[in-house]
């Protein structure tokens, strides 16, 4: 990854480049920040720059042999360590196909995204001792091609006590070895590791860079790009989920349903429930999650309008809903019943039946008290 592919962080990139050209490359750095701010992409761009054999004044060349291998994450002097579930193997090298796919598609991912990609959301992640031994074995080898060997440890908070095996290596690494640790939470890292690394604090993505990036997302208009850049808190993951929400396929289904419940046109409920109930369980779950978020938006907007993150048609829906003057207690009741229904459906209850029952209870909750 080149610096130009990392969103924002202009000053930080300059600092990195300057330190490399001055030959001041710390042997162990700890990048600190949220995944959605781009800590991992910055670490990758930095490592690629350090190793590039034809560095420019503001970026790696992108075409030398080292850059090409860095870009498809196959450089023999780039070693990755990351947490993963026990069931998947003993060492990170066994998961490289998945790992490359994950970083290539979504370098701003967090642990949850990574575990989802491994189909292991509910499993425990850790960095096993076998992997730590593998790091040491790698350290004992000379760099194959580059001037530098890079040991990139993503989420070192998952190094348990066994992480102490690495202390000596981090403190006095073999010649031309760089440790780059990328963390979200320094409080969970072994103090002994923190004290041996140089902290590099990464800030959220600045608003203008975020807006500029979002303006290139197909079919996202300039107003929306601006609004999302303002509320995504410099976090690309937040921003992209707001982009998706603003194009949710569930909006029309949900709006129609609420209309039926509010106006109590109960004869429309059964056909609606049959149609929606025929969706896959995955889609039904998506529908419920979307509807719940929207109803929470209604609730939040009533208390503190600035906390509402919805835009466009959803924002219209929320303000129309509020004009009905439905109390917070009524909305909370609806949310509770929707959560219950989602649980029934997850447990394989017959969906059209659950949706019909839910519609009646929502209509009752909506009745003015
Ligand atoms: Zn290069």
């Amino acid at each position: 990854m080149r610096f130009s592919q990392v969103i924002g962080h202009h000053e930080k990139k300059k600092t990195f480049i300057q330190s490399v050209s001055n030959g001041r490359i710390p042997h162990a750095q700890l990048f600190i920040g949220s995944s959605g701010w781009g800590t991992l992409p910055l670490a990758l761009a930095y490592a690629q720059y350090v190793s590039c054999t034809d560095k420019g004044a503001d970026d790696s060349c992108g075409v030398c042999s080292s850059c090409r291998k860095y870009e498809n994450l196959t450089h023999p002097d780039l070693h990755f360590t990351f947490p993963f579930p026990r069931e998947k193997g003993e060492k990170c090298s066994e998961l490289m196909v998945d790992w490359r796919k994950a970083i290539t598609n979504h370098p701003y991912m967090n642990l949850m995204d990574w575990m989802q990609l491994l189909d292991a959301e509910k499993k425990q992640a850790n960095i096993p001792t076998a992997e730590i031994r593998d790091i040491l074995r790698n350290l004992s080898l000379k760099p194959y091609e580059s001037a530098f060997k890079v040991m990139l440890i993503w989420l070192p908070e998952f190094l348990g006590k066994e992480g102490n095996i690495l202390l000596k290596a981090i403190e006095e690494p073999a010649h031309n070895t760089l440790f780059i640790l990328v963390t979200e939470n320094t409080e969970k890292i072994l103090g002994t590791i923190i004290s041996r690394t140089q902290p590099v604090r990464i800030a959220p993505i600045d608003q203008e860079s975020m807006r500029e990036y979002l303006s290139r997302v197909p079919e996202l208009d300039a107003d929306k790009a601006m609004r999302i850049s303002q509320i995504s808190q410099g976090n690309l993951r937040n921003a992209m989920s707001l982009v998706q929400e603003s194009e949710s396929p569930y909006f029309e289904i949900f709006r129609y349903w609420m209309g039926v419940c509010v106006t109590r046109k109960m004869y429309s409920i059964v056909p609606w429930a049959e149609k929606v109930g025929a969706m896959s369980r995955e889609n039904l779950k998506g529908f419920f999650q979307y509807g719940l978020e929207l109803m929470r938006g209604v609730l939040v907007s009533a208390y503190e309008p600035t906390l509402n993150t919805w835009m466009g048609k959803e924002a219209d829906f929320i303000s129309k809903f509020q004009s009905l003057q439905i109390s917070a207690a009524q909305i909370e009741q609806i949310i509770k019943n929707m959560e219950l229904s989602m649980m029934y459906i997850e447990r394989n209850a017959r969906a059209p039946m659950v949706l019909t029952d839910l519609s009646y209870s929502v209509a009752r909750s909506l009745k003015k008290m």
Side-chain angles (χ1 to χ4, degrees):
M1 186 170 255
R2 302 179 70 204
F3 281 125
S4 60
Q5 294 167 291
V6 181
I7 308 166
H9 300 296
H10 306 296
E11 288 308 311
K12 196 57 106 188
K13 291 171 185 172
K14 275 188 209 148
T15 317
F16 283 142
I17 290 167
Q18 224 154 41
S19 73
V20 175
S21 52
N22 294 342
R24 283 187 283 104
I25 303 176
H27 65 260
Q29 301 178 69
L30 179 63
F31 284 38
I32 306 165
S34 175
S35 300
W37 301 345
T39 44
L40 181 57
L42 267 176
L44 287 166
Y46 174 74
Q48 177 165 331
Y49 187 77
V50 168
S51 310
C52 173
T53 54
D54 193 16
K55 297 179 200 22
D58 40 36
D59 216 336
S60 45
C61 75
V63 289
C64 72
S65 159
S66 169
C67 279
R68 285 205 311 273
K69 287 174 189 164
Y70 257 90
E71 288 189 359
N72 49 36
L73 307 168
T74 54
H75 201 294
D77 295 319
L78 172 64
H79 184 97
F80 286 107
T81 293
F82 42 79
F84 60 90
R86 204 175 300 278
E87 294 77 4
K88 295 282 172 182
E90 294 199 322
K91 292 185 290 186
C92 294
S93 54
E94 297 165 40
L95 280 88
M96 281 316 289
V97 172
D98 287 324
W99 177 251
R100 286 192 193 110
K101 192 165 118 195
I103 304 196
T104 310
N105 294 337
H106 193 10
Y108 290 76
M109 69 174 177
N110 65 9
L111 181 68
M112 197 176 74
D113 301 324
W114 167 233
M115 295 294 275
Q116 252 167 15
L117 186 130
L118 291 175
D119 255 332
E121 297 105 301
K122 298 210 171 108
K123 300 270 162 63
Q124 204 72 25
N126 76 325
I127 299 178
T129 315
E131 170 59 23
I132 299 173
R133 304 237 170 257
D134 206 41
I135 299 178
L136 293 179
R137 188 189 61 81
N138 259 284
L139 285 171
S140 67
L141 307 169
K142 281 202 185 112
Y144 289 96
E145 305 178 358
S146 274
F148 289 98
K149 182 154 47 177
V150 174
M151 311 303 265
L152 202 157
I153 306 181
W154 186 58
L155 305 181
E157 41 273 51
F158 285 85
L159 289 167
K161 287 195 302 296
E162 296 83 6
N164 283 317
I165 304 171
L166 288 176
L167 294 183
K168 198 168 153 28
I170 293 178
E171 194 160 47
E172 301 163 10
H175 194 51
N176 287 355
T177 297
L178 306 181
F179 273 94
I180 305 177
L181 283 63
V182 178
T183 182
E184 286 219 308
N185 189 347
T186 47
E187 283 171 23
K188 290 190 183 154
I189 307 182
L190 295 170
T192 45
I193 288 187
I194 293 185
S195 64
R196 285 166 175 81
T197 52
Q198 178 171 317
V200 180
R201 291 189 190 281
I202 309 295
I205 300 168
D206 65 284
Q207 209 169 300
E208 177 50 24
S209 303
M210 182 72 93
R211 190 203 57 74
E212 202 275 322
Y213 175 81
L214 292 173
S215 69
R216 286 180 273 137
V217 173
E219 288 171 36
L220 191 71
D221 62 48
D223 282 354
K224 253 185 208 161
M226 170 60 98
R227 175 110 173 91
I228 296 179
S229 71
Q230 287 165 343
I231 58 179
S232 54
Q233 297 165 315
N235 184 314
L236 187 69
R237 291 186 74 260
N238 290 354
M240 293 322 281
S241 74
L242 286 165
V243 169
Q244 278 163 13
E245 280 166 6
S246 71
E247 302 166 345
S248 171
Y250 303 120
F251 177 72
E252 280 310 321
I253 308 176
F254 190 81
R255 189 196 54 78
Y256 172 83
W257 177 54
M258 275 294 151
V260 168
C261 294
V262 168
T263 54
R264 304 177 69 77
K265 287 184 185 148
M266 304 317 278
Y267 52 85
S268 304
I269 287 298
V270 173
W272 176 84
E274 286 294 340
K275 193 173 141 209
V276 175
M279 294 196 301
S280 70
R281 252 160 236 285
E282 203 47 45
N283 281 337
L284 271 170
K285 207 174 138 189
F287 168 71
F288 271 104
Q289 280 165 343
Y290 172 79
L292 281 164
E293 274 310 305
L294 201 50
M295 292 311 285
R296 287 180 193 125
V298 173
L299 201 55
V300 161
S301 303
Y303 291 117
E304 182 50 68
T306 55
L307 291 178
N308 171 38
T309 53
W310 292 99
M311 290 164 293
K313 48 191 186 189
E314 280 97 345
D316 287 345
F317 171 87
I318 289 175
S319 76
K320 279 192 193 123
F321 202 93
Q322 279 176 328
S323 67
L324 299 172
Q325 309 224 312
I326 290 158
S327 72
Q330 286 167 288
I331 297 168
E332 276 166 8
Q333 187 60 46
I334 294 172
I335 291 177
K336 211 172 117 194
N337 285 332
M338 285 174 65
E339 284 169 345
L340 268 178
S341 300
M342 182 162 92
M343 191 186 77
Y344 293 145
I345 287 175
E346 278 173 346
R347 293 183 185 169
N348 286 333
R350 218 178 84 71
M353 194 102 95
V354 175
L355 290 165
T356 304
D357 285 350
L358 174 65
S359 305
Y360 277 94
S361 79
V362 168
R364 267 197 307 279
S365 305
L366 283 170
K367 213 168 143 189
K368 293 241 168 73
M369 287 178 188

